Amino acid sequence: MLPEGQAVSPPGSHTRRPADGAEAVAAARELRPDVVLMDIRMSNMDSLEATRCVLEHAPDRKVIMLTTFDLDRYVYGTLSLGASGFLLKDVTPEHLAAAVRLAGTGDALLAPSITGRLVERYAAQSARTPAAHAGLSALPPRETEVLSLLGRGLSNTELAAELALCEATVKSHVARIFAKLSFRDRAEAVVLAYETGLVRPDE
């Protein structure tokens, strides 16, 4: 099991394993990692507040949540704050390393099918009235369709198959959506798609 609040440091620096949420925030500020692994349940400062503090200090930083349960209610809260995704604590070292590299690119949401299922459950409970987002009106129909499929957790390869497009075209659509809506990664796309009603839990 991985230590709570672990910060992944840049090459050549030391990795610190903070004992609680407050120490995790302090370590992230000191070490300035590209990616932070944050335990979902911590003492002193909870994961929601720690994630908020880390991202307020460095909005471009990626935060990956580590959790024992794939439907932990705190995961949805941290995704809403800007966390890039989550991993279960039984993840293999190889998968963990690959996930950290992937999170740094913003190319794909971690564990998309599980995350989509979690967002369905908690978005339905916390946002019964769809939220408005002015940026959605700026999307042409094709990009709106792509965003709705992103909200369901589809990868670029799955999007290409679903829409009968080449993967390069899908990547262009995704990049334009990210630019127009100021998304950092696919986690934000999933959360927004559910909170605005573009994707509904009963679909």
Side-chain angles (χ1 to χ4, degrees):
M1 183 177 293
L2 292 164
E4 61 183 11
Q6 179 172 336
V8 179
S9 309
S13 63
H14 296 288
T15 299
R16 179 176 298 178
R17 294 175 173 83
D20 57 37
E23 288 191 20
V25 172
R29 290 182 175 180
E30 177 187 347
L31 299 173
R32 295 181 295 174
D34 294 323
V35 179
V36 172
L37 300 180
M38 187 81 71
D39 196 284
I40 200 70
R41 295 182 180 276
M42 296 185 291
S43 58
N44 194 9
M45 178 186 291
D46 66 25
S47 59
L48 292 174
E49 183 62 21
T51 299
R52 181 184 293 109
C53 290
V54 166
L55 294 177
E56 281 181 353
H57 185 260
D60 292 335
R61 185 166 291 151
K62 307 297 183 182
V63 176
I64 302 174
M65 308 310 301
L66 293 169
T67 180
T68 305
F69 305 105
D70 61 6
L71 290 182
D72 192 313
R73 64 186 178 88
Y74 285 102
V75 174
Y76 175 71
T78 55
L79 289 177
S80 298
L81 289 172
S84 295
F86 74 95
L87 294 171
L88 298 181
K89 288 184 179 180
D90 60 0
V91 63
T92 65
E94 294 78 14
H95 188 186
L96 175 61
V100 169
R101 288 192 293 268
L102 189 61
T105 69
D107 183 54
L109 176 68
L110 304 175
S113 60
I114 298 175
T115 302
R117 186 157 53 91
L118 180 140
V119 173
E120 285 180 11
R121 176 173 297 185
Y122 292 107
Q125 293 175 4
S126 63
R128 298 184 186 280
T129 301
H133 192 290
L136 289 181
S137 62
L139 301 182
R142 176 61 92 181
E143 290 176 8
T144 301
E145 183 179 16
V146 170
L147 177 57
S148 69
L149 294 174
L150 284 175
R152 294 182 173 90
L154 272 65
S155 66
N156 285 346
T157 300
E158 292 168 334
L159 282 168
E162 177 73 18
L163 299 172
L165 299 171
C166 69
E167 198 162 335
T169 300
V170 166
K171 289 180 178 179
S172 295
H173 284 309
V174 171
R176 286 195 292 271
I177 292 168
F178 275 37
K180 291 177 181 178
L181 299 181
S182 300
F183 288 156
R184 297 184 315 138
D185 51 40
R186 294 167 94 103
E188 287 189 304
V190 171
V191 171
L192 182 138
Y194 279 97
E195 290 189 336
T196 59
L198 189 60
V199 177
R200 299 180 183 277
D202 57 354
E203 291 179 333

